[in-house]
Amino acid sequence: MDGKHMQIGEVAARTELSLRTIRHYEETGLVIPSARSQGGFRLYTEHDVARLMVIRRMKPLGFTLDQMRDLLDATDRLDADRGTLDADEREALVERIRAYQQSAAEQVGKLRVQLSRAEDFEATLRARVTPPPTASPSPTPSSTTRD
């Protein structure tokens, strides 16, 4: 490759997403390959990888495909703004993104609680299966020597 474009296998390795998942995101319109090779292979750019990373980070927080699409649309429009958005449009986009940030923060808080409970549970089980340390035997009177 020319350094600007990557094939899907490299993108999959970099994003830790399966080829199937990347193709699914393409089918749903979340990420469209930036180009195709002469042989018809999908070609991606750093921008495409960044979009996939946003999606990958949203997924475990429970965001839907439509929400992912909406957030990506808002960030794309802000990134593409070259003075074409008026102040109200710009503020509306920022508010959309802020709402996703707040939702993500709430989900992270819930996950922290779940993680804490899971760690407590694991510690409880570990305590049940780990034998208590044995005390070292103390010397018996018959084993002491006299001078």
Side-chain angles (χ1 to χ4, degrees):
M1 293 290 82
D2 60 11
K4 289 183 161 187
H5 289 97
M6 297 163 269
Q7 289 188 1
I8 193 169
E10 181 180 350
V11 173
R14 288 188 54 192
T15 61
E16 298 178 351
L17 295 169
S18 68
L19 300 176
R20 183 177 181 183
T21 298
I22 294 170
R23 288 184 187 114
H24 173 69
Y25 291 151
E26 178 185 352
E27 290 168 8
T28 60
L30 287 173
V31 176
I32 306 298
S34 293
R36 293 269 182 174
S37 71
Q38 289 181 350
F41 294 104
R42 296 166 174 86
L43 299 176
Y44 298 87
T45 62
E46 288 296 330
H47 176 74
D48 300 325
V49 170
R51 286 177 71 85
L52 284 165
M53 292 303 293
V54 168
I55 295 164
R56 192 185 98 184
R57 291 175 182 129
M58 290 180 80
K59 185 91 172 114
L61 297 178
F63 289 101
T64 67
L65 293 177
D66 286 338
Q67 289 171 317
M68 293 175 192
R69 190 175 295 106
D70 183 56
L71 176 62
L72 289 168
D73 174 65
T75 58
D76 286 348
R77 289 178 59 198
L78 276 178
D79 291 346
D81 178 27
R82 306 272 190 262
T84 58
L85 295 175
D86 65 36
D88 290 339
E89 290 174 305
R90 187 166 189 50
E91 184 57 30
L93 291 171
V94 169
E95 280 303 311
R96 275 170 57 192
I97 295 168
R98 188 173 288 122
Y100 284 107
Q101 181 273 321
Q102 290 170 346
S103 180
E106 289 171 13
Q107 287 302 109
V108 167
K110 290 175 184 177
L111 287 171
R112 282 194 175 112
V113 169
Q114 286 181 332
L115 177 60
S116 176
R117 290 177 181 158
E119 288 172 335
D120 288 346
F121 176 63
E122 184 275 333
T124 300
L125 294 176
R126 185 175 358 105
R128 291 186 66 88
V129 299
T130 304
T134 57
S136 60
S138 55
T140 60
S142 62
S143 66
T144 58
T145 58
R146 295 182 193 195
D147 288 26

